[in-house]
Amino acid sequence: MEMDNLYIDKSSVIPAYYQLMKLLEHRIRRGDFKPGETLPSETEIAETYGISRMTVRRAISELSSKKIVSPQKGKGTYVSLPKFNETVFELNDFFEDMKKKGIKPSSRLIEAKHLPADKIIAEKLQIPENTKYIFFRSILYADEEPLVYDTKYIVYAKQRPLLEELSNPSLQDVVMAHNNKIPIKSLRILQVTTLTEQESFLLNVAPMSAAFLVEQLLYDQNDKPVGWGKSLYRGDRYQLTSRGGIWY
Amino acid sequence: MEMDNLYIDKSSVIPAYYQLMKLLEHRIRRGDFKPGETLPSETEIAETYGISRMTVRRAISELSSKKIVSPQKGKGTYVSLPKFNETVFELNDFFEDMKKKGIKPSSRLIEAKHLPADKIIAEKLQIPENTKYIFFRSILYADEEPLVYDTKYIVYAKQRPLLEELSNPSLQDVVMAHNNKIPIKSLRILQVTTLTEQESFLLNVAPMSAAFLVEQLLYDQNDKPVGWGKSLYRGDRYQLTSRGGIWY
DNA sequence: TAGTGGTCTAGACCACCTC
DNA sequence: AGGTGGTCTAGACCACTAA
């Protein structure tokens, strides 16, 4: 396979805790320490590799946050049986995401206007019914292909009646541009749905196609909602991936 | 509002780093430190609250991992403008998830048999075509209601030809039960799809309903696939949520 | 040059677990 | 009682940043 460096090079520019973390990862993968067993004690590891216990703890804490290892007070640091049923999916900013994949993102604003809140909007935004709110609809493109249909409902701030277009129209940015308040809390819900006739037309797919529905609610310091958003991601072009365990 | 404890109680059983973390979170929320500004330097914070710099660093490191703050070498620790466009969704074990919600999970095995690998399976599992593999199909229930349709494709280990039923049939468990190897790497893909006639019948929903499709590939120490799974989650009953920013 | 965060050390005390 | 991980300290040196 590969050459193993089963020691810590203190003269290296790579931090000792990082070297030790990789070393322990490697030894776990190799089977020196099996799931259910414990690592040597922190003191022992420190002596073995000639580093201080705090540095050992730093390495173990990284492994612990990756769920590779689980320290137990008074007992030892156990090698975890990896739990691949517990998965974390990241949904990143559309523009950043596309750029990272080498795809050119863009957006087109379909509509932007004031509206009086109906019952549903009033409840979501916790404002009185018929209060004005700002409504946005836009399409996000990846290499000229429509990928996301985006709607936003934003609490109306009298001070700022403007409706300028933004290059990266995330809900957070639009809320900050049209409202003095900086959102401090976010609740997001990921669902699946089938597209309506109108939605599928805008996204250039067949009606009743499957899509991700990402709902987002933003709150200010006082736990008041300041914006609500619903984004429909084309199911045939979008997916989330997640890696667990020990990868290189 | 509430009483503020803007000091560290060293006699408390709550660790100092934790108290400081909450304290800084509170002061950020309150506006003492605004996004884009820096916190006082680590040395200064240590002096202010009468604790050591390493303890301050521990608190800041927690805030940093929550993306509330972002330390910059040589410059200072900046309060982040929260990025609510970068979201993390957790997909946990079905059984644990349901129990946590107070719902009784159960499962029913529909089918379990050996089959020779066709081209698709052979490619996924990186085995020669027509090699035997183990096939599973089951339904997962929440309070007697079908919620997930689950299929598994597992590399066949000659030593263990048994096909016993497991109470919690996660791909990982089944792989470990039918194969000596412990998976060490997992790749998961979350997609949306519409259900076929058969799938919708099994899940007791209308055909063409939207559903989550969760695909999972498990690998052993040598980066060989050991199992492949596909789970269909009913879209009308399942959703993922994610909280960002400062919550209580 | 002065200040910042990043790393590391060699101790210390504690609560917890096991024998 | 002895070993474990959890916390904390008071220093130290470094690389980086900005004036």
Side-chain angles (χ1 to χ4, degrees):
Chain A
M1 298 288 169
E2 70 221 65
M3 287 292 288
D4 299 343
N5 286 2
L6 291 180
Y7 64 93
I8 307 296
D9 179 0
K10 293 186 150 196
S11 69
S12 166
V13 290
I14 298 166
Y17 78 87
Y18 187 87
Q19 294 182 52
L20 179 58
M21 180 196 81
K22 287 298 180 190
L23 191 157
L24 291 175
E25 227 178 36
H26 177 256
R27 294 195 62 186
I28 289 170
R29 185 189 176 107
R30 197 173 62 177
D32 290 2
F33 314 117
K34 297 195 173 58
E37 298 175 2
T38 61
L39 297 183
S41 78
E42 297 176 349
T43 316
E44 202 178 327
I45 295 177
E47 283 166 1
T48 303
Y49 295 104
I51 56 184
S52 85
R53 196 187 146 211
M54 281 301 273
T55 303
V56 174
R57 281 186 61 73
R58 171 85 190 265
I60 287 178
S61 129
E62 308 263 334
L63 292 178
S64 170
S65 73
K66 286 201 251 176
K67 309 243 180 129
I68 291 173
V69 115
S70 153
Q72 307 284 334
K73 206 187 300 190
K75 299 174 73 175
T77 298
Y78 289 82
V79 178
S80 306
L81 216 187
K83 283 192 183 167
F84 294 133
N85 304 326
E86 312 198 343
T87 312
V88 167
F89 291 102
E90 290 180 41
L91 178 63
N92 294 318
D93 178 72
F94 178 78
F95 279 66
E96 305 300 331
D97 204 15
M98 290 301 130
K99 278 180 207 156
K100 207 177 290 174
K101 290 176 186 164
I103 297 169
K104 190 175 132 282
S106 59
S107 71
R108 183 171 64 85
L109 186 64
I110 302 175
E111 200 176 6
K113 58 182 178 187
H114 299 264
L115 282 174
D118 63 21
K119 204 175 170 187
I120 292 170
I121 308 284
E123 196 170 315
K124 279 283 178 190
L125 295 179
Q126 290 177 28
I127 55 178
E129 236 174 297
N130 295 317
T131 313
K132 263 195 200 169
Y133 71 95
I134 312 179
F135 176 66
F136 285 93
R137 291 166 56 202
S138 49
I139 303 275
L140 310 186
Y141 296 85
D143 278 346
E144 321 303 334
E145 188 176 42
L147 246 184
V148 183
Y149 172 48
D150 196 74
T151 53
K152 302 189 183 71
Y153 310 83
I154 291 155
V155 171
Y156 179 64
K158 297 182 191 75
Q159 295 80 3
R160 297 200 172 199
L162 28 145
L163 293 173
E164 75 272 34
E165 191 166 355
L166 297 172
S167 57
N168 179 346
S170 84
L171 180 61
Q172 184 183 358
D173 294 335
V174 178
V175 162
M176 291 194 300
H178 289 81
N179 208 314
N180 289 345
K181 290 170 184 164
I182 292 177
I184 202 168
K185 252 172 60 175
S186 161
L187 176 64
R188 266 190 162 181
I189 303 174
L190 177 64
Q191 298 168 272
V192 302
T193 189
T194 49
L195 297 177
T196 67
E197 194 104 15
Q198 188 209 20
E199 290 159 354
S200 57
F201 174 75
L202 289 167
L203 290 175
N204 196 26
V205 293
M208 299 299 289
S209 298
F212 286 106
L213 168 58
V214 181
E215 208 178 318
Q216 182 173 29
L217 257 172
L218 293 182
Y219 300 86
D220 68 8
Q221 299 98 304
N222 308 116
D223 281 340
K224 290 271 182 205
V226 287
W228 179 36
K230 294 202 305 192
S231 303
L232 288 166
Y233 288 72
R234 272 174 62 173
D236 60 334
R237 286 279 187 279
Y238 214 83
Q239 62 183 28
L240 302 175
T241 64
S242 161
R243 294 152 142 233
I246 302 177
W247 292 67
Y248 283 123
Chain B
M1 298 290 169
E2 72 221 63
M3 285 294 287
D4 300 343
N5 287 2
L6 291 180
Y7 64 95
I8 307 297
D9 179 1
K10 293 186 148 198
S11 70
S12 166
V13 290
I14 298 167
Y17 79 87
Y18 188 86
Q19 294 182 51
L20 179 58
M21 181 196 82
K22 287 298 181 192
L23 191 157
L24 291 175
E25 228 179 37
H26 177 254
R27 294 195 61 185
I28 289 170
R29 184 189 177 105
R30 196 174 62 178
D32 289 1
F33 315 117
K34 296 196 173 56
E37 298 175 2
T38 61
L39 297 183
S41 77
E42 297 177 349
T43 317
E44 202 178 327
I45 295 178
E47 283 166 1
T48 303
Y49 295 104
I51 55 184
S52 86
R53 197 188 142 210
M54 281 300 272
T55 303
V56 173
R57 281 185 62 73
R58 171 85 190 263
I60 288 178
S61 133
E62 307 263 335
L63 292 178
S64 170
S65 73
K66 286 201 249 176
K67 309 240 181 132
I68 291 172
V69 116
S70 152
Q72 306 285 335
K73 207 188 300 189
K75 300 174 74 176
T77 298
Y78 289 83
V79 178
S80 306
L81 217 186
K83 283 192 182 168
F84 294 132
N85 304 327
E86 312 198 342
T87 312
V88 166
F89 291 102
E90 290 181 40
L91 178 62
N92 294 317
D93 178 72
F94 178 79
F95 278 66
E96 304 301 331
D97 204 15
M98 289 302 128
K99 278 180 209 158
K100 207 178 291 174
K101 290 176 186 164
I103 296 169
K104 192 176 132 280
S106 59
S107 71
R108 183 170 64 85
L109 186 64
I110 302 175
E111 199 174 8
K113 59 182 176 188
H114 300 264
L115 282 174
D118 64 20
K119 203 175 169 185
I120 292 170
I121 308 283
E123 196 170 314
K124 279 282 179 190
L125 295 180
Q126 289 177 30
I127 55 177
E129 234 172 298
N130 294 317
T131 314
K132 263 194 200 170
Y133 71 95
I134 313 179
F135 176 66
F136 286 92
R137 293 165 57 201
S138 49
I139 303 275
L140 309 186
Y141 296 86
D143 276 346
E144 320 304 334
E145 189 177 40
L147 246 185
V148 183
Y149 172 48
D150 195 76
T151 53
K152 301 188 183 70
Y153 310 83
I154 292 156
V155 171
Y156 180 64
K158 296 182 192 78
Q159 296 80 4
R160 295 199 173 203
L162 28 144
L163 294 173
E164 75 272 33
E165 192 167 355
L166 298 171
S167 58
N168 178 347
S170 84
L171 180 61
Q172 184 182 1
D173 294 335
V174 178
V175 162
M176 291 196 298
H178 290 82
N179 208 313
N180 289 345
K181 289 167 184 165
I182 293 176
I184 202 168
K185 251 172 61 174
S186 161
L187 175 65
R188 267 192 161 177
I189 304 173
L190 177 64
Q191 297 169 271
V192 302
T193 189
T194 48
L195 297 177
T196 66
E197 194 103 13
Q198 190 210 18
E199 291 159 354
S200 57
F201 173 76
L202 288 167
L203 290 174
N204 196 26
V205 294
M208 299 298 290
S209 297
F212 286 106
L213 168 58
V214 181
E215 208 177 320
Q216 182 173 30
L217 257 172
L218 293 182
Y219 300 86
D220 68 8
Q221 298 98 306
N222 307 116
D223 280 339
K224 291 271 180 204
V226 288
W228 179 36
K230 295 203 305 193
S231 303
L232 287 166
Y233 288 72
R234 273 174 62 173
D236 60 335
R237 285 280 187 278
Y238 215 82
Q239 63 184 29
L240 302 176
T241 64
S242 161
R243 295 152 143 230
I246 303 178
W247 291 68
Y248 283 123

